[in-house]
């Protein structure tokens, strides 16, 4: 079973060479891949606890399937008092899922304050598009970590983040 935006049967590619590239988003290009069918579930459908007035912490690194996982946990995020999340962002993998990268960035910006990790610093990502990210990373392919923050003020003190390291 894996996290998504709805319950359904999905094809999942198990990378027998390196589990870190197993994915429902794409089939790895080498021959050490096993294709299987698994059930998906939304995070919202399995969290029974009332998160009102509670803080949540999450990490999503699912090889391009991040948009589906986050859509499947929007109720949890909206109900929580605050949320701090870390996601892997890989523009190539996201596109392979059929998700429009700019639409995904807009979704993130709608629900969170967005911070882009680039060489030991955080860049405000609240208004960035894919083109902006490509310029920032000087590449058509963007692979980075994104920090997502949701609280009553929808902002974060970046000084606190930098002093935590």
């Amino acid at each position: 079973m894996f996290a998504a935006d709805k319950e359904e049967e999905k094809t999942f590619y198990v990378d027998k060479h390196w589990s870190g590239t197993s994915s429902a988003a794409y089939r790895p290009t080498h021959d050490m891949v096993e294709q299987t069918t698994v059930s998906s579930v939304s995070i919202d459908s399995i969290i029974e606890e009332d998160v009102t007035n509670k803080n949540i912490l999450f990490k999503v690194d699912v090889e391009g399937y991040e948009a589906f996982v986050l859509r499947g946990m929007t109720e949890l995020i909206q109900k929580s008092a605050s949320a701090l999340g870390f996601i892997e962002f890989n523009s190539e993998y996201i596109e392979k899922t059929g998700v429009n990268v700019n639409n995904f960035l807009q979704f993130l910006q709608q629900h969170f304050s967005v911070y882009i990790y680039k060489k030991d610093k955080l860049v405000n990502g609240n208004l960035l598009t894919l083109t902006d990210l490509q310029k920032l990373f000087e590449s058509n392919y963007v692979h980075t970590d994104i920090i997502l923050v949701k609280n009553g003020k929808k902002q974060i003190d970046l000084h606190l983040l930098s002093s935590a390291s």
Side-chain angles (χ1 to χ4, degrees):
M1 187 171 296
F2 72 92
D5 57 340
K6 58 187 169 190
E7 295 181 20
E8 63 183 348
E9 296 293 308
K10 295 290 291 182
T11 299
F12 188 77
Y13 301 100
V14 179
D15 187 333
K16 292 184 165 198
H17 175 67
W18 184 37
S19 64
T21 57
S22 297
S23 178
Y26 67 94
R27 185 186 198 301
T29 57
H30 58 78
D31 291 336
M32 296 180 67
V33 177
E34 180 180 307
Q35 181 176 322
T36 188
T37 302
V38 296
S39 299
S40 65
V41 63
S42 72
I43 300 296
D44 285 340
S45 72
I46 60 173
I47 302 295
E48 295 178 1
E49 183 177 350
D50 180 11
V51 296
T52 306
N53 299 318
K54 295 194 178 181
N55 305 315
I56 61 170
L57 173 68
F58 63 91
K59 180 179 189 299
V60 182
D61 179 354
V62 288
E63 305 307 309
Y65 219 70
E66 289 77 9
F68 299 94
V69 174
L70 289 171
R71 279 198 308 242
M73 58 188 283
T74 53
E75 186 177 317
L76 176 73
I77 293 163
Q78 289 172 347
K79 286 183 177 180
S80 69
S82 66
L84 177 63
F86 301 85
I87 67 166
E88 180 179 30
F89 180 90
N90 184 315
S91 61
E92 182 180 7
Y93 291 175
I94 291 168
E95 288 173 346
K96 286 182 179 183
T97 67
V99 170
N100 178 289
V101 175
N102 282 318
N103 290 346
F104 179 52
L105 289 168
Q106 287 176 347
F107 171 86
L108 296 177
Q109 294 159 358
Q110 177 185 358
H111 293 280
F112 303 99
S113 292
V114 177
Y115 301 93
I116 310 297
Y117 180 78
K118 183 178 188 258
K119 294 185 181 178
D120 296 328
K121 69 177 184 176
L122 294 177
V123 176
N124 186 326
N126 287 316
L127 299 174
L128 296 181
T129 65
L130 178 57
T131 301
D132 297 326
L133 290 176
Q134 290 167 332
K135 288 177 186 174
L136 179 68
F137 287 93
E138 300 175 351
S139 173
N140 287 333
Y141 165 72
V142 178
H143 184 199
T144 190
D145 292 313
I146 294 181
I147 297 172
L148 304 171
V149 180
K150 179 249 175 181
N151 62 25
K153 297 176 185 167
K154 200 182 171 204
Q155 53 186 303
I156 189 169
D157 184 348
L158 291 177
H159 176 71
L160 294 175
L161 281 176
S162 62
S163 65
S165 56

